[in-house]
Amino acid sequence: MSEPKNPQLQGSQSDGSAAGGWPALNAVNKHLLHQHILLKGNRTLLSMNKPDGFDCPSCAWPDPKKPHTFEYCENGAKALAWESTKKRVTPEFFAQHTVSELATWSDHDLEDQGRITEPMRYDAGSDKYLPVSWDEAFAEIGQELRQLSDPWKLELYTSGRTSNEAAFLYQLFGRLYGMANFPDCSNMCHETTSVALPESIGVGKGTTTLEDFENADAIFIFGQNPGTNSPRMMSELHAAARRGASIISFNPLREKALVRFASPQDPRDMLSRSGVKISSQYHQVRIGGDMIAVQGICKAVIEADDAAQREGLPRVLDVAFIDEHTHGLEPFADYCRQLPWEIIERHSGLTRQALEDVAAVYMRSERVICCWGMGITQHKRGGDAMQQIINLLLLRGNIGKLGAGACPIRGHSNVQGDRTMGIYEKAGEPFLASMSKVFGFEASRKGGHDVAEACEALLRGEVEAFISMGGNFFRAIPDIDVVCPTVSRLKMTVLVNTKLNRSATVHGQKAFLLPCIARSELDMQNGVAQTVTVEDSMSMVHGSTGMLEPASKHLISEVAIIAGMAKATLASNSKVDWDSYVNDYARIRDKIEAVLPEQFYDFNQRIKEPGGFRLPNGASERTWNTASGKANFLFPEGVFDEDDTPPGADHLQLMTIRSHDQFNTTVYSNDDRYRGIYGDRMVVMLNPQDIERLGLKAGDYVEFQTALDVTTPRRAPGFKVIPFDVPQGCCAAYYPETNGLLPLANRDSRSNTPAAKSIPVNLVRMNPEEAQVALQRRGLIAAAS
Ligand SMILES: Nc1nc2c(c(=O)[nH]1)N[C@H]1C(S)=C(S)[C@@H](COP(=O)(O)OP(=O)(O)OC[C@H]3O[C@@H](n4cnc5c(=O)[nH]c(N)nc54)[C@H](O)[C@@H]3O)O[C@H]1N2
Ligand SMILES: Nc1nc2c(c(=O)[nH]1)N[C@H]1C(S)=C(S)[C@@H](COP(=O)(O)OP(=O)(O)OC[C@H]3O[C@@H](n4cnc5c(=O)[nH]c(N)nc54)[C@H](O)[C@@H]3O)O[C@H]1N2
Ligand SMILES: [Mo]
């Protein structure tokens, strides 16, 4: 149970113990204490993810209809602890530190200062943020925006914690202003899913519900680390494993919770501490090897079906489903039949036997769910890989029946809802026509910028103002060392945040820091507590009502901030009564219903149902909103030629991943308990044979150099080598410390999602002193403490 006191870095995650269990509960307590909060009888934690409570500000896993007493997880509790911290960032704090100084602080130290208490405005003379009144801030923001040379020179960024109500008003504001530049965090996350899934099955969202998880015979998990990133999913996986369902994981790393998990809700586990074996098969696929691995599984299934036909045995494929519901099986089947096993083995890093073992489970299971996360989406061929997963499901009719389906696991708690609300730079005609009609204006039909395009516009000098609704844009994006220096040229940057983060130090000539009320806090308008709504990974929409006293009496809600900016900017030419929306959020929901009546009819009534309501999802009813009117078997041709060098042959493939103690760019601590790494995030996890091959040894310091586009050198110094159980040619390091290495152009070609899981890199040895100096300079080791 105890963690090593002065640990040697080693990355030994194979000690046989289970993830979860008592250490998870202890970790909750530790983090609450660090933020000066007590766990015992904590009413706030008990209200999280309950029908009349608030939605956890962490991941997008759905809430069960009958919640457990503790419907939160270790990492949800950490997120809440960091949100409801007693620490404060006051005007006095800002008076003591210049922005140039804050820029040298670590991500952890910046956020650990606590909640921002008052609106602040940057003062260039003193290089400090000084307090400003809300009225003054809005007036100045409005004035700046009215003076931009062109409405398209504004970018409105959204991070996925923003509620439906705030997101809807935010895009209304942007469209009334006359543009559609809505980069959002989804563009760095599941955009691949939003683009590739509709081509295959006509909907950009998952098709499963929690009930499907209760009925699945097999669950395949590709490139996702639920023990850390959606721990409440572990309840479903744990229950599935207990009842004998097969769980098969594909991941270059043996993520501890996918190996064994002890459920803090299960007394048997808590007594024995050894937990339950989760994955019945674990395949350490090479980074980026999933596409061809899945084609290998499909090949085995198709060939088994060919054999059954020859021998007059029952068919392996669900022929009735394929005939009625799909298009394009034959070319795909032929492609798989002709794909040589040597190529499959070389590119996936998995053996034919291993893939045939997966196929055997797939063929004997009536109901199969495939889940995926960033290990699939953040690749240059992410969309192609995902479409192979869909092909696999289609072969045996595993979409649109109980216990089966496609399950992309979204990241932020409302990232899916924000898109539904129109945070979409390429929104379709029906939505734009409806917005125009309901609000009496003509919304521009021109497409705007996603994250990658916003970054390119910044590089071209075509952005004048940037507003960010939550998040940490200038830390989360690719190519930070190239993009961030351009920001000082902007006329204005505005950050609406709860906490201090690095984006506050990357600012325009005018800059505002506008702190808002958080999800867990009471949002009182006219004496009435307001409810907001969110949509989870399974298209369930439900209400969320905060209960804590806001962190400061000066805070206002995101809705009020958006309305304040909109009123000051659009002034007299807006017919929208912003104040009426701020006074009663139910009126915003009425407008959402008016714009999207098929999805949100009786919106205000239906959010009162426990667990909320599910948005319509064609594919899960087997209606296919695709060009062919059917579900499509899609595959890229000619990707793997005989002499194509597999990844890792001449350089390493770097995947940038999350530790157990971070939420995206919010770093809770330098530990990564499940991977056995303590006290340091500046590490590179490497295969022992690669360490030897490169003439390195454990504990050496190295500089990463991106092995792409040599005209722009991209380097990240000061990473310590640790031997790790990762396939040869692959290595792992943490995000966001590595975000300078990721070239903007290295992205999924259809969705523009940055390929954060495959950055070709070389490693160059450094001496420890050089490494220390480099880290200090980049603000990557604690400067404040
Ligand atoms: N506590 C916590 N919860 C979170 C977050 C957080 O940071 N902290 N972030 C939230 C957000 S926004 C998101 S998007 C999700 C992210 O949740 P995940 O999708 O789990 O994200 P990652 O940790 O980036 O990486 C996922 C896994 O992909 C594996 N992987 C990398 N490359 C490949 C590959 O080529 N193939 C395969 N098969 N696997 C690969 C990695 O080893 C890792 O286990 O979590 C959300 N929830
Ligand atoms: N290399 C690499 N880069 C990546 C990734 C990767 O795996 N590798 N992952 C990508 C992914 S999946 C994502 S989603 C993005 C994440 O990118 P973002 O969503 O932009 O980043 P976060 O770190 O989640 O944002 C944290 C900040 O949000 C603010 N915040 C928290 N709660 C609230 C709130 O209630 N309201 C408001 N207004 N602000 C709030 C706090 O000030 C906090 O500092 O990063 C992407 N970047
Ligand atoms: Mo994400």
Side-chain angles (χ1 to χ4, degrees):
M1 229 192 322
S2 64
E3 296 164 4
K5 285 279 174 298
N6 191 4
Q8 279 285 311
L9 290 174
Q10 69 231 323
S12 70
Q13 80 282 48
S14 51
D15 59 2
S17 65
W22 289 106
L25 287 185
N26 290 343
V28 169
N29 242 336
K30 192 177 98 186
H31 283 269
L32 290 170
L33 279 176
H34 181 72
Q35 301 299 332
H36 312 163
I37 301 164
L38 291 178
L39 174 65
K40 198 158 162 270
N42 191 306
R43 201 164 68 91
T44 325
L45 272 175
L46 294 175
S47 296
M48 198 142 88
N49 302 319
K50 295 288 174 51
D52 54 353
F54 62 92
D55 189 65
C56 173
S58 190
C59 78
W61 188 254
D63 303 342
K65 284 217 175 77
K66 283 190 239 115
H68 302 287
T69 317
F70 304 100
E71 196 50 50
Y72 63 87
C73 64
E74 174 190 341
N75 280 350
K78 279 181 209 162
L80 180 65
W82 271 61
E83 184 168 296
S84 54
T85 175
K86 300 281 175 253
K87 303 180 187 178
R88 296 291 178 265
V89 176
T90 58
E92 291 71 48
F93 169 90
F94 285 112
Q96 283 161 18
H97 306 284
T98 63
V99 173
S100 313
E101 182 209 328
L102 293 175
T104 66
W105 287 25
S106 72
D107 297 298
H108 171 272
D109 289 344
L110 288 170
E111 286 232 16
D112 196 30
Q113 302 312 308
R115 293 284 298 278
I116 307 173
T117 57
E118 287 182 43
M120 307 296 294
R121 175 176 52 195
Y122 181 68
D123 172 57
S126 60
D127 185 31
K128 286 178 179 168
Y129 279 104
L130 306 178
V132 62
S133 72
W134 284 108
D135 285 345
E136 228 179 302
F138 291 145
E140 251 185 78
I141 292 168
Q143 191 182 19
E144 279 301 320
L145 292 183
R146 284 200 306 273
Q147 287 170 0
L148 295 195
S149 63
D150 176 343
W152 293 88
K153 300 250 159 121
L154 168 66
E155 304 283 343
L156 292 184
Y157 175 67
T158 314
S159 167
R161 237 179 290 215
T162 305
S163 65
N164 285 337
E165 288 73 8
F168 183 78
L169 287 193
Y170 194 51
Q171 59 90 36
L172 170 64
F173 166 43
R175 294 187 200 283
L176 286 168
Y177 182 68
M179 62 75 169
N181 292 330
F182 299 118
D184 78 320
C185 72
S186 180
N187 301 144
M188 300 181 265
C189 182
H190 265 289
E191 198 61 55
T192 323
T193 303
S194 303
V195 171
L197 267 196
E199 294 172 2
S200 291
I201 59 171
V203 60
K205 302 176 180 181
T207 69
T208 58
T209 62
L210 283 182
E211 212 189 340
D212 292 318
F213 276 78
E214 288 157 17
N215 289 281
D217 300 321
I219 302 170
F220 292 3
I221 303 170
F222 294 92
Q224 194 220 341
N225 182 18
T228 288
N229 295 322
S230 22
R232 288 186 300 127
M233 178 178 175
M234 292 311 302
S235 310
E236 296 335 297
L237 296 180
H238 181 269
R242 270 238 197 272
R243 68 179 159 75
S246 305
I247 297 173
I248 303 189
S249 295
F250 298 83
N251 199 311
L253 301 182
R254 285 180 70 78
E255 301 289 19
K256 187 164 181 162
L258 288 173
V259 178
R260 292 196 80 82
F261 185 74
S263 169
Q265 324 272 4
D266 187 328
R268 287 171 293 181
D269 286 7
M270 294 307 266
L271 283 175
S272 77
R273 295 182 184 183
S274 60
V276 170
K277 182 178 179 190
I278 297 294
S279 298
S280 47
Q281 294 183 26
Y282 205 116
H283 299 291
Q284 287 182 270
V285 61
R286 200 196 287 277
I287 293 177
D290 303 81
M291 174 165 84
I292 198 156
V294 178
Q295 288 176 334
I297 304 166
C298 291
K299 176 182 174 77
V301 174
I302 288 162
E303 290 178 352
D305 185 66
D306 292 344
Q309 271 182 284
R310 279 196 305 273
E311 290 157 31
L313 295 169
R315 295 288 298 267
V316 173
L317 304 188
D318 183 341
V319 184
F321 172 82
I322 289 172
D323 287 349
E324 188 184 342
H325 290 290
T326 72
H327 172 81
L329 171 67
E330 263 325 301
F332 175 66
D334 274 345
Y335 179 81
C336 291
R337 287 185 189 106
Q338 281 158 30
L339 199 56
W341 278 111
E342 311 83 80
I343 291 194
I344 299 173
E345 290 191 324
R346 189 140 55 92
H347 287 272
S348 67
L350 301 176
T351 62
R352 173 177 181 172
Q353 184 60 53
L355 296 170
E356 285 180 343
D357 290 347
V358 180
V361 170
Y362 182 70
M363 291 187 284
R364 67 165 185 260
S365 304
E366 278 306 305
R367 291 172 281 263
V368 181
I369 293 176
C370 286
C371 308
W372 65 87
M374 298 299 101
I376 294 295
T377 63
Q378 294 178 331
H379 278 291
K380 283 182 84 168
R381 291 194 167 276
D384 290 328
M386 194 178 307
Q387 291 179 341
Q388 307 318 295
I389 296 175
I390 298 300
N391 292 349
L392 177 65
L393 288 170
L394 294 177
L395 288 177
R396 284 175 50 83
N398 275 309
I399 294 189
K401 74 179 176 198
L402 182 67
C407 183
I409 313 289
R410 300 271 164 180
H412 270 299
S413 49
N414 196 39
V415 62
Q416 190 162 311
D418 290 345
R419 180 57 55 84
T420 310
M421 291 299 110
I423 300 292
Y424 190 21
E425 72 290 346
K426 297 171 187 75
E429 179 56 26
F431 179 82
L432 295 174
S434 197
M435 280 293 293
S436 305
K437 191 161 154 242
V438 169
F439 292 100
F441 76 118
E442 227 17 79
S444 172
R445 302 313 204 251
K446 200 171 115 185
H449 296 153
D450 59 19
V451 164
E453 291 157 347
C455 291
E456 284 162 351
L458 278 165
L459 290 175
R460 288 193 305 269
E462 287 172 8
V463 182
E464 291 176 6
F466 183 98
I467 302 181
S468 166
M469 194 51 54
N472 192 359
F473 184 86
F474 296 113
R475 191 67 175 134
I477 53 169
D479 246 345
I480 41 177
D481 297 337
V482 178
V483 177
C484 293
T486 66
V487 179
S488 59
R489 295 203 297 256
L490 301 197
K491 289 191 177 142
M492 180 176 71
T493 47
V494 179
L495 298 188
V496 180
N497 270 358
T498 49
K499 295 274 194 93
L500 191 57
N501 64 33
R502 195 165 298 259
S503 292
T505 70
V506 181
H507 59 83
Q509 288 154 20
K510 273 202 175 151
F512 293 88
L513 217 51
L514 307 181
C516 64
I517 292 177
R519 177 89 54 84
S520 54
E521 293 170 343
L522 264 172
D523 181 354
M524 298 295 285
Q525 305 289 349
N526 279 334
V528 179
Q530 300 295 314
T531 294
V532 294
T533 59
V534 294
E535 173 186 341
D536 63 35
S537 261
M538 296 190 182
S539 304
M540 296 294 299
V541 177
H542 57 88
S544 170
T545 314
M547 56 184 296
L548 295 173
E549 205 46 47
S552 139
K553 64 179 192 307
H554 303 290
L555 300 185
I556 63 175
S557 69
E558 288 182 356
V559 163
I561 294 173
I562 295 162
M565 293 192 294
K567 267 167 54 180
T569 307
L570 305 167
S572 53
N573 62 10
S574 165
K575 294 185 212 90
V576 177
D577 185 357
W578 297 96
D579 289 333
S580 82
Y581 297 144
V582 178
N583 288 337
D584 181 1
Y585 297 179
R587 295 196 191 117
I588 309 176
R589 287 188 285 276
D590 286 340
K591 290 294 175 191
I592 295 172
E593 176 173 343
V595 172
L596 297 164
E598 282 170 26
Q599 300 182 60
F600 290 94
Y601 62 90
D602 297 338
F603 193 4
N604 279 307
Q605 282 72 52
R606 286 199 294 160
I607 55 166
K608 294 184 187 133
E609 292 164 23
F613 60 91
R614 185 158 190 236
L615 295 176
N617 182 304
S620 64
E621 315 283 314
R622 296 194 167 173
T623 50
W624 315 101
N625 189 18
T626 59
S628 68
K630 304 224 167 168
N632 294 312
F633 282 94
L634 301 172
F635 62 100
E637 269 178 277
V639 178
F640 299 104
D641 298 330
E642 202 64 58
D643 57 1
D644 189 8
T645 38
D650 47 9
H651 49 252
L652 297 162
Q653 285 293 334
L654 167 67
M655 54 178 179
T656 59
I657 56 175
R658 293 156 168 78
S659 78
H660 193 63
D661 264 4
Q662 74 183 86
F663 191 95
N664 298 340
T665 66
T666 301
V667 176
Y668 303 133
S669 88
N670 287 340
D671 296 344
D672 191 359
R673 193 175 79 241
Y674 289 162
R675 300 199 185 102
I677 298 172
Y678 294 94
D680 197 356
R681 290 174 55 84
M682 294 301 290
V683 297
V684 46
M685 297 164 230
L686 266 178
N687 180 293
Q689 275 162 297
D690 283 330
I691 296 181
E692 206 184 309
R693 181 175 61 86
L694 296 169
L696 295 167
K697 52 185 192 324
D700 276 357
Y701 284 93
V702 291
E703 174 175 272
F704 278 110
Q705 298 186 351
T706 304
L708 262 184
D709 173 23
V710 285
T711 54
T712 312
R714 293 175 175 86
R715 298 187 168 151
F719 289 77
K720 196 189 262 183
V721 170
I722 56 171
F724 215 82
D725 183 7
V726 51
Q728 274 189 59
C730 302
C731 63
Y734 297 120
Y735 137 71
E737 286 82 349
T738 42
N739 279 34
L741 293 168
L742 175 52
L744 252 181
N746 193 42
R747 61 198 196 208
D748 178 61
S749 53
R750 282 175 288 174
S751 65
N752 283 352
T753 308
K757 299 292 187 269
S758 60
I759 313 175
V761 289
N762 292 310
L763 299 180
V764 178
R765 197 211 309 260
M766 303 180 81
N767 72 46
E769 295 74 36
E770 272 173 358
Q772 281 311 100
V773 173
L775 290 180
Q776 201 93 49
R777 201 167 50 230
R778 293 168 75 95
L780 289 170
I781 46 176
S785 45

